[in-house]
């Protein structure tokens, strides 16, 4: 069992930055592929980023490539999402997720992740 708690959301102007954190419980954190998803009002939840076990490899949806960076610190059981050059269309509730297994590339659907956080709101004003 893994429990995930996100933090770091808030209100920011377009062009600004935020760093989301997701703290995980459990001693096997390093064996989970971690993902970030988001859900905007009236829209389905969508994949944002996946981070491999070591944090050395990542996968991003095209709309955030070059702006968002996913990372993790396995010693702290924490995964991060650094978001730069934010746009109003990035406004959403952001969720972190943990999935068993090493595959991270192409792991972009909700059913491929086993545990979810409660979400943190990110609002980008124009």
């Amino acid at each position: 069992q893994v429990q995930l708690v996100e933090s770091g959301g808030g209100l920011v102007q377009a062009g600004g930055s935020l760093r989301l954190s997701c703290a995980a419980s459990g001693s096997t954190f390093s064996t989970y592929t971690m993902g970030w998803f988001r859900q905007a009002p009236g829209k389905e939840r969508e994949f944002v980023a996946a981070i491999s076990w070591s944090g050395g490899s990542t996968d991003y949806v095209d709309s955030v490539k070059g702006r968002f960076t996913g990372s993790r610190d396995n010693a702290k059981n924490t995964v991060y999402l650094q978001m730069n050059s934010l746009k109003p269309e990035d406004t959403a509730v952001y969720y972190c997720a943990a999935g068993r297994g090493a595959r991270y590339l192409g792991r972009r659907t909700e059913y491929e992740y086993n545990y979810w956080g409660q979400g943190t709101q990110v609002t980008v004003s124009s």
Side-chain angles (χ1 to χ4, degrees):
Q1 188 79 7
V2 176
Q3 293 185 324
L4 304 171
V5 179
E6 300 97 335
S7 61
L11 174 64
V12 64
Q13 288 188 332
S17 298
L18 283 174
R19 188 175 82 154
L20 305 184
S21 299
C22 173
S25 66
S27 59
T28 59
F29 173 74
S30 61
T31 66
Y32 285 86
T33 292
M34 298 302 295
W36 286 97
F37 288 74
R38 65 186 180 186
Q39 187 168 21
K43 295 187 177 181
E44 293 185 353
R45 190 151 54 182
E46 67 168 352
F47 168 81
V48 175
I51 301 101
S52 66
W53 283 4
S54 69
S57 298
T58 50
D59 184 29
Y60 301 98
V61 67
D62 285 349
S63 59
V64 308
K65 282 181 180 177
R67 301 188 299 122
F68 290 12
T69 303
S71 62
R72 65 193 293 167
D73 185 337
N74 287 337
K76 296 182 178 179
N77 279 15
T78 303
V79 63
Y80 304 97
L81 185 67
Q82 177 67 44
M83 305 186 296
N84 299 327
S85 301
L86 282 161
K87 303 176 181 180
E89 51 263 43
D90 294 318
T91 295
V93 177
Y94 282 71
Y95 299 89
C96 70
R100 298 186 190 96
R103 186 176 68 84
Y104 72 94
L105 195 59
R107 196 166 185 170
R108 298 185 171 203
T109 58
E110 294 181 58
Y111 72 84
E112 296 177 280
Y113 293 83
N114 305 99
Y115 303 102
W116 292 83
Q118 83 289 349
T120 185
Q121 176 71 46
V122 172
T123 303
V124 184
S125 63
S126 58

